[in-house]
Amino acid sequence: MSHTPRSAPIAKRAQLQPGDLGHLVKSVFLGAYNALMVGLELVINPLQRLVGARRMAYFFLLPNMIIFGVFVLFPMLLNFYYSGTTGTRLMPQDRTWAGLANYEHLFRCGNFSQPNTCVEDMFWRAAHNTVVFVMFQVGGMVLLALVTAVILNREIVARGFFRSVYFYPVLLSPVVVGLIWKWILQRFGLLNAVLTGLGGEPIQFLLDRDWATFWVILVSIWAQMGFYTLILLAGLQSIPAVLYEAGEIDGANVWQRFRFITLPLLMPTLFVVLVLALIRAVQVFDQVFVLTGGGPGTATKYMVQYIYETGFANQIPRRGLASAASVLLGMVLLVFTLAQLWLGRKSEAA
Amino acid sequence: MSTLRNFLIRKRGGSRIDITDALTYLYLAVGTLVMFGPVLWVVLSSFKTQAQLVEFPPRLLPYAQETIVVDGYDEPLPLYRVVVDGEERVLAQIRRVGIEAHMIDPENPPADPARPTDAERIRVNINDREPIERLSLALENYTEPLEKFRFATYLKNSVIVTTVATIITLVINSMAAFALSKYRFAGRDAVFVLIIATLMIPISVILVPVFLVITQLNMNNTLWGVIIPGAATPTGVFLLRQYMLTIPDELLESARIDGASEWRIYWQIVLPLARPALAVLAIFSVMWRWNDFLWPLIVLSRSELFTLQVGLNAFQGELQIQWHYVLAMTVLTLLPITAVFAFLQRFITTGIATTGLKG
């Protein structure tokens, strides 16, 4: 790290340079790390003598498996049991077994396309909203990501810069994304200023059901598009350039080259992107929660927010019902995941 | 000028710029504006005073009115540009009465500030004066919330959660990946399939039971309750295992012959060789943890334990949003991630492109 050349006079080297400080910190950390690891050896090596080298695999696996088992696997199983209980108590042993009552409650409906006719109308409103959101967000985003990826794959100036431009919002936290757009969309915000500047009337974007839905979808596309663009770009780059040259020689124009070379060869990547986007969109929650709070009314309330409110935020939490809803959500995700695994296997075999 | 033009439109093929190129650059320019614009606007807004934020239509840059200290007046007086008798003058306002402003000449202040004579006091219609302004950053937006509210605490909590969780994730995931890639043992494939199967099961599906588990373990309302449940990430194990498979087994065998213990092989051979994969996982873990919202929202209900994201959300949820503070704190929250982006962008993008990790 030190920038001092080797031939520098001794006297100068004795002084503490900024680079030396970095060096010092690094060696202190490294020393502490090594000391810790050697110290652990004193405990772990006797264990190895006891169980033998080969069974040490279980030891290495253990910490991860404990946390995985306690906080992922066990809760997954518990969720099924929990969804069959009612009551206001938290601990499973204090709750009454109710069989499929929670599911029946969720599905007691006059007409599934009309949330008003359902006993648990909020669940169905959330379900409806989620379906609309998923269709438009995933559809719009995959299309835009594809266009962007194709454009970024061209011979352009400052390629690296433009690639990172589209990726930047992906890194922002959902809360920050929500706040940024809340600031822009508010009554006296930038967008309304532009609108009035062009001679229009200001619009209360987040207080109108349709506008709120529109912006929630658009903001989600803005925040996540770069991620899918990147995957599609990697897919595009794996298409051999020879194919395009051959197409050009055969007289195919730009559109034909895209339609008959790019699109078929990009299909596997496109499917992966589609499924990943679906899985993500079904779980939409945080940036919407910050941006609209689910409002106006219930216009932008989605499934995860329903689960969060039913199970935690409401005055009287109905955790059994929340569990039942999350089991249903899990089923939907499982279908998507299996579809992805199946597609992955298929493209690997191809 | 023409060399610059040539430089800008030069392409690898050497051909001239055409309509598709024009459309491409138009798309890229609009894209850049749409992607960076909102963030930039929030950064600019965060330096405006409360009064300026409610100004409509808003102005691009933060301004403040120029003031002057005049002997005999306790407060600094605001300066205006006024046309008096066809002559433009710079005057300081001492009082406003209805639509009339009382001004004095700061160069030539009244002898008795409490009772200026009619010659010294110039009456101006408020529509005939124009405030003199200069660029000014309202830095108090940043410093005040750190003192008045608990933002310093939130910041500390976020740093603790992110650091501790990332260290734990790196250690236990790399140990598991080591076991899964370098040993043959009964049940290995079953464990691996189990991990892959849960790759796509997000915490939003198991919120209630995980909450139950952490309550039972007395981790509710603690930072541990936020840190531990997500530590055993399937994605992390998968990423590290795939990388460790490329480390030749002969290396480990020769170390064993030299008498190295399994633990020593792990930390002195495998870990240093897996450094690129560990770096990618570390970056991802930092991003996941710093940006995490739903789970901390459920676990943490005492405000002294809030992370930045939860604190920011609670702060913006108040009836009267104090935008001048909220915007500044938003900028503070997005700063570390932006720094990560600026310096490690290449790592992240190649990491995603090769593994398909969720960002």
Side-chain angles (χ1 to χ4, degrees):
Chain A
M1 276 301 175
S2 171
H3 298 294
T4 322
R6 284 241 170 267
S7 57
I10 308 276
K12 200 168 182 192
R13 296 208 53 165
Q15 285 175 355
L16 197 65
Q17 309 264 315
D20 291 344
L21 197 66
H23 223 70
L24 189 72
V25 170
K26 202 173 153 192
S27 46
V28 163
F29 267 106
L30 220 61
Y33 169 77
N34 284 345
L36 181 73
M37 287 300 174
V38 172
L40 280 171
E41 252 172 40
L42 297 177
V43 188
I44 296 166
N45 287 357
L47 182 76
Q48 185 184 334
R49 279 194 286 280
L50 205 67
V51 300
R54 310 198 62 194
R55 286 203 202 92
M56 283 302 283
Y58 296 106
F59 162 79
F60 282 110
L61 212 50
L62 200 62
N64 202 65
M65 281 298 119
I66 289 176
I67 293 184
F68 185 71
V70 172
F71 294 100
V72 181
L73 216 54
F74 173 66
M76 263 168 64
L77 300 174
L78 187 64
N79 211 15
F80 286 104
Y81 171 78
Y82 217 85
S83 70
T85 63
T86 57
T88 51
R89 309 282 294 273
L90 180 65
M91 289 301 138
Q93 62 271 20
D94 302 333
R95 299 173 63 84
T96 29
W97 177 251
L100 293 175
N102 284 323
Y103 293 97
E104 276 170 38
H105 180 76
L106 286 179
F107 279 101
R108 201 170 300 151
C109 236
N111 176 355
F112 287 111
S113 62
Q114 303 264 290
N116 305 347
T117 64
C118 302
V119 179
E120 190 61 22
D121 61 331
M122 206 55 90
F123 174 79
W124 288 99
R125 268 178 228 282
H128 275 237
N129 291 343
T130 308
V131 169
V132 171
F133 177 87
V134 167
M135 282 192 327
F136 286 99
Q137 199 260 354
V138 173
M141 181 170 69
V142 171
L143 201 69
L144 268 174
L146 180 63
V147 171
T148 312
V150 168
I151 284 180
L152 288 178
N153 198 37
R154 289 170 60 93
E155 292 287 336
I156 49 172
V157 183
R159 212 175 184 181
F161 168 76
F162 283 119
R163 270 177 204 178
S164 47
V165 162
Y166 290 90
F167 186 72
Y168 176 58
V170 175
L171 301 182
L172 299 178
S173 85
V175 177
V176 164
V177 168
L179 285 174
I180 287 174
W181 285 93
K182 197 173 182 170
W183 175 240
I184 288 174
L185 294 173
Q186 54 133 345
R187 170 69 180 75
F188 298 105
L190 183 63
L191 207 69
N192 270 325
V194 173
L195 217 57
T196 42
L198 295 174
E201 286 287 305
I203 301 171
Q204 292 271 38
F205 289 112
L206 298 178
L207 296 183
D208 178 274
R209 295 183 65 91
D210 295 335
W211 275 117
T213 308
F214 171 81
W215 279 109
V216 158
I217 290 169
L218 209 70
V219 168
S220 298
I221 292 178
W222 179 83
Q224 292 165 15
M225 193 185 89
F227 172 68
Y228 301 97
T229 306
L230 212 60
I231 298 182
L232 286 173
L233 193 59
L236 284 175
Q237 283 170 342
S238 68
I239 300 175
V242 191
L243 292 177
Y244 291 105
E245 285 160 24
E248 218 162 337
I249 291 168
D250 287 347
N253 64 27
V254 177
W255 166 247
Q256 285 168 329
R257 269 177 276 162
F258 176 76
R259 171 70 187 77
F260 296 107
I261 299 173
T262 309
L263 215 50
L265 286 173
L266 197 63
M267 232 8 133
T269 319
L270 212 52
F271 267 121
V272 169
V273 162
L274 197 69
V275 175
L276 281 178
L278 277 173
I279 291 172
R280 196 85 181 277
V282 170
Q283 303 170 55
V284 57
F285 170 70
D286 16 29
Q287 76 259 30
V288 179
F289 187 67
V290 174
L291 187 61
T292 67
T298 55
T300 58
K301 188 175 282 188
Y302 300 112
M303 209 24 112
V304 172
Q305 192 182 345
Y306 169 79
I307 295 171
Y308 165 68
E309 283 178 354
T310 310
F312 299 97
N314 285 351
Q315 206 104 85
I316 303 163
R318 293 178 296 171
R319 297 202 176 88
L321 205 59
S323 268
S326 65
V327 166
L328 294 174
L329 180 67
M331 301 265 192
V332 174
L333 290 174
L334 188 70
V335 171
F336 290 148
T337 308
L338 290 178
Q340 198 211 10
L341 286 178
W342 180 69
L343 285 168
R345 184 108 2 125
K346 221 173 97 178
S347 67
E348 243 169 59
Chain B
M1 215 37 217
S2 83
T3 48
L4 178 70
R5 207 175 95 94
N6 277 338
F7 172 75
L8 284 175
I9 64 176
R10 187 172 53 202
K11 299 202 315 179
R12 199 172 283 172
S15 57
R16 303 288 301 171
I17 212 157
D18 61 10
I19 180 72
T20 39
D21 287 317
L23 284 175
T24 296
Y25 286 107
L26 184 70
Y27 184 90
L28 291 173
V30 172
T32 308
L33 189 70
V34 171
M35 289 294 159
F36 277 149
V39 179
L40 204 63
W41 177 244
V42 165
V43 173
L44 287 175
S45 301
S46 75
F47 289 109
K48 291 179 178 173
T49 60
Q50 208 174 354
Q52 276 190 295
L53 285 177
V54 297
E55 224 173 77
F56 188 84
R59 286 190 289 179
L60 194 61
L61 296 172
Y63 291 96
Q65 186 160 23
E66 202 87 65
T67 56
I68 192 164
V69 179
V70 180
D71 275 344
Y73 296 95
D74 299 337
E75 298 281 318
L77 301 174
L79 282 174
Y80 288 88
R81 193 168 286 120
V82 186
V83 178
V84 187
D85 306 327
E87 179 194 3
E88 194 180 273
R89 293 175 66 181
V90 173
L91 298 178
Q93 175 176 300
I94 50 171
R95 188 178 303 121
R96 193 186 138 181
V97 185
I99 60 156
E100 203 178 56
H102 293 181
M103 308 272 205
I104 57 162
D105 187 350
E107 299 288 309
N108 193 4
D112 179 9
R115 270 183 296 278
T117 63
D118 278 350
E120 286 165 337
R121 186 175 57 190
I122 304 154
R123 292 158 192 261
V124 181
N125 186 297
I126 56 166
N127 294 322
D128 298 338
R129 53 180 198 160
E130 187 193 323
I132 297 176
E133 290 170 327
R134 66 188 151 82
L135 278 181
S136 146
L137 304 180
L139 291 174
E140 63 273 17
N141 290 350
Y142 284 83
T143 52
E144 280 174 12
L146 290 175
E147 294 158 7
K148 274 203 253 172
F149 308 100
R150 283 205 157 123
F151 270 96
T153 315
Y154 303 160
L155 190 69
K156 189 193 77 192
N157 291 338
S158 267
V159 169
I160 291 175
V161 166
T162 306
T163 324
V164 175
T166 300
I167 291 172
I168 293 179
T169 299
L170 286 178
V171 170
I172 67 171
N173 283 7
S174 66
M175 283 171 71
F178 176 52
L180 288 171
S181 62
K182 293 295 166 208
Y183 292 91
R184 302 185 159 277
F185 57 91
R188 183 183 74 170
D189 294 339
V191 168
F192 188 62
V193 167
L194 200 68
I195 288 176
I196 294 294
T198 53
L199 211 58
M200 289 295 164
I201 299 300
I203 197 154
S204 58
V205 173
I206 48 173
L207 285 178
V208 178
V210 179
F211 181 72
L212 173 81
V213 169
I214 64 153
T215 310
Q216 190 72 305
L217 295 175
N218 276 328
M219 292 204 286
N220 192 9
N221 252 323
T222 64
L223 292 182
W224 287 113
V226 178
I227 292 168
I228 298 292
T233 59
T235 22
V237 175
F238 182 68
L239 178 83
L240 292 174
R241 173 193 176 262
Q242 299 307 88
Y243 195 87
M244 285 179 187
L245 283 175
T246 64
I247 298 173
D249 288 343
E250 291 76 23
L251 216 57
L252 279 61
E253 274 315 313
S254 61
R256 279 196 189 102
I257 291 166
D258 289 346
S261 68
E262 300 302 304
W263 179 254
R264 184 167 279 257
I265 289 173
Y266 160 72
W267 77 266
Q268 233 171 21
I269 296 176
V270 174
L271 278 193
L273 286 176
R275 214 146 47 187
L278 287 170
V280 170
L281 180 61
I283 295 167
F284 274 105
S285 174
V286 166
M287 276 169 7
W288 288 331
R289 295 314 188 121
W290 185 263
N291 291 343
D292 201 9
F293 176 60
L294 177 57
W295 185 242
L297 182 70
I298 286 173
V299 176
L300 308 171
S301 51
R302 295 216 318 264
S303 74
E304 70 264 29
L305 291 171
F306 281 179
T307 58
L308 261 185
Q309 312 293 340
V310 178
L312 203 55
N313 175 61
F315 199 51
Q316 71 93 21
E318 284 170 11
L319 212 54
Q320 281 291 325
I321 301 182
Q322 293 178 288
W323 272 115
H324 55 302
Y325 293 150
V326 170
L327 290 172
M329 291 306 102
T330 303
V331 172
L332 220 57
T333 310
L334 66 80
L335 219 55
I337 289 296
T338 308
V340 167
F341 171 73
F343 292 116
L344 304 172
Q345 188 247 118
R346 192 160 304 207
F347 262 114
I348 303 167
T349 47
T350 51
I352 286 178
T354 52
T355 63
L357 276 183
K358 154 167 110 186

